[in-house]
Amino acid sequence: MKKLYVPFVLFLLLLLSACGGNQNKTDQVNSPSHASSSTASSADTFTYQSEDGPVEVPTHPQRVVVLTRFLTGNVMALGVPLVGVDEMSKANPNFKEKLAGTEAVTDESLEKIIELNPDLIIGLSDIKNIDKFKKIAPTVTYTYGKVNFLTQQLEIGKLLNKEKEAQAWVDDFNARTKKVGEEIKAKIGANATVSVIETFNKQLYVYGDNFGRGTEILYQQFKLGMPEKVKAATKKDGFFAVSTEVLKDFTGDYVIFSKNADEDNSFQNTETYKNIPAVKNQHVFEADAKAFYFNDPLSMEYQLQFFIHSFLGK
């Protein structure tokens, strides 16, 4: 009797163990944290020092969700696969084709993002539902404007385990923009000033030196002059709303107009605008706003080519 009893007990234990293992797998799949735990084991992760402290992230992320238009191009420039981005990034003419297969998401698209099964989520520090995102996948956030655009790309490089590639782009971009800046100054004059304007939500704006629209290249890289009124007005927020009547006081010798065809640009038909010296001298260069908004590497490469063509005719 005892001989029969022992094998039966062993069989029963093995059966219970197998059932328990299957239940654990079911619980793991149904858990909100399944996306992060299933895509990378501890051997495939490293600790990234984020603004908010250390975060365990995948060494080779393959399913990244970016919840801010300001960092989409940073990730794309390093060749890391994206599965979800914001709608504005998808509408960018320079990104549209590459992002055709990605989903449009926001910081409120929790269910959709869970379905995307990301292994890394990137956003700005003020996104909603951050605690919930951390349960879906490792989540890293950045404060917009805390560092300059070059340092930001290096940080994204560190996060994605692509620091060498990010550094190579920074070094090359610095060298190229320095050369182009010198050529532009030689042509338009070292003391010539440049303004950047845009119509957004039915309002006309001028921009400072770190708000996209090519401002980082013009002022930080090329070191071209900014009109004093623009400098003072944009010091706090990086941009300043103006009316057509006072626009002439904020325009430099040259104007970059980040133009959105969907906005009201009727101010260009007014005599006030037509009599601005930069307009009369045909020193206004119009760019596609939807491709000009951001300050990521891909956008800035596009902006650089635009400036080379506009100022130098190349």
Side-chain angles (χ1 to χ4, degrees):
M1 184 69 180
K2 287 183 179 180
K3 290 181 180 179
L4 292 172
Y5 179 74
V6 172
F8 176 77
V9 172
L10 288 173
F11 173 77
L12 186 61
L13 287 171
L14 289 171
L15 182 62
L16 290 171
S17 175
C19 290
N22 287 336
Q23 183 61 47
N24 286 339
K25 287 181 181 178
T26 302
D27 290 344
Q28 184 183 22
V29 169
N30 291 331
S31 167
S33 61
H34 166 64
S36 59
S37 62
S38 65
T39 50
S41 66
S42 59
D44 298 322
T45 65
F46 72 98
T47 302
Y48 172 72
Q49 297 297 330
S50 75
E51 290 180 11
D52 301 318
V55 182
E56 199 73 13
V57 299
T59 304
H60 302 291
Q62 295 298 308
R63 299 186 62 81
V64 180
V65 166
V66 180
L67 296 172
T68 170
R69 59 188 180 274
F70 298 111
L71 296 174
T72 303
N74 298 75
V75 177
M76 291 173 67
L78 294 172
V80 175
L82 288 163
V83 293
V85 298
D86 68 288
E87 191 63 58
M88 207 166 179
S89 291
K90 285 181 70 68
N92 186 330
N94 293 331
F95 297 174
K96 201 168 185 179
E97 187 175 331
K98 294 178 182 178
L99 295 177
T102 62
E103 289 288 333
V105 294
T106 71
D107 56 5
E108 296 181 334
S109 308
L110 289 168
E111 290 185 9
K112 184 183 286 188
I113 291 172
I114 289 173
E115 290 174 0
L116 290 174
N117 192 28
D119 52 11
L120 179 65
I121 298 172
I122 303 172
L124 293 187
S125 56
D126 60 354
I127 61 171
K128 301 174 184 176
N129 298 310
I130 186 167
D131 290 335
K132 293 178 181 178
F133 285 126
K134 288 179 180 179
K135 293 178 181 178
I136 299 172
T139 301
V140 175
T141 61
Y142 298 92
T143 300
Y144 180 80
K146 187 173 183 178
V147 297
N148 66 34
F149 74 98
L150 296 172
T151 303
Q152 183 64 73
Q153 183 60 5
L154 292 177
E155 279 302 311
I156 295 295
K158 291 177 185 176
L159 171 64
L160 301 176
N161 194 29
K162 298 271 189 178
E163 191 172 1
K164 287 184 179 179
E165 293 88 336
Q167 186 66 63
W169 178 80
V170 167
D171 294 341
D172 181 58
F173 194 73
N174 272 333
R176 285 185 289 128
T177 51
K178 181 181 179 182
K179 182 175 182 295
V180 173
E182 291 171 350
E183 291 180 16
I184 290 175
K185 279 187 175 181
K187 183 171 182 179
I188 69 174
N191 297 319
T193 57
V194 182
S195 297
V196 178
I197 66 173
E198 183 182 273
T199 45
F200 190 80
N201 286 340
K202 300 179 181 180
Q203 177 63 59
L204 185 61
Y205 293 92
V206 292
Y207 292 89
D209 67 352
N210 63 343
F211 219 82
R213 286 88 177 167
T215 57
E216 289 86 357
I217 298 178
L218 292 169
Y219 303 125
Q220 295 181 35
Q221 300 299 108
F222 291 168
K223 300 190 184 306
L224 297 178
M226 181 190 300
E228 287 301 320
K229 276 207 169 187
V230 174
K231 192 181 296 184
T234 61
K235 187 175 182 180
K236 181 183 176 182
D237 298 321
F239 59 91
F240 186 72
V242 297
S243 65
T244 305
E245 289 70 31
V246 301
L247 179 61
K248 66 180 184 300
D249 298 328
F250 293 86
T251 53
D253 301 307
Y254 290 81
V255 173
I256 307 300
F257 181 18
S258 177
K259 186 175 182 177
N260 187 338
D262 299 330
E263 292 282 349
D264 179 8
N265 300 304
S266 58
F267 74 93
Q268 287 186 289
N269 299 322
T270 65
E271 289 302 314
T272 302
Y273 175 77
K274 291 177 180 179
N275 285 320
I276 292 174
V279 178
K280 294 174 73 172
N281 293 329
Q282 297 184 328
H283 287 172
V284 177
F285 305 134
E286 294 187 3
D288 181 350
K290 291 179 180 178
F292 227 66
Y293 287 135
F294 314 132
N295 55 10
D296 61 84
L298 296 185
S299 296
M300 299 190 86
E301 290 289 355
Y302 171 79
Q303 292 161 4
L304 177 59
Q305 292 307 310
F306 175 85
F307 294 141
I308 290 173
H309 175 75
S310 299
F311 285 106
L312 301 176
K314 294 183 181 180

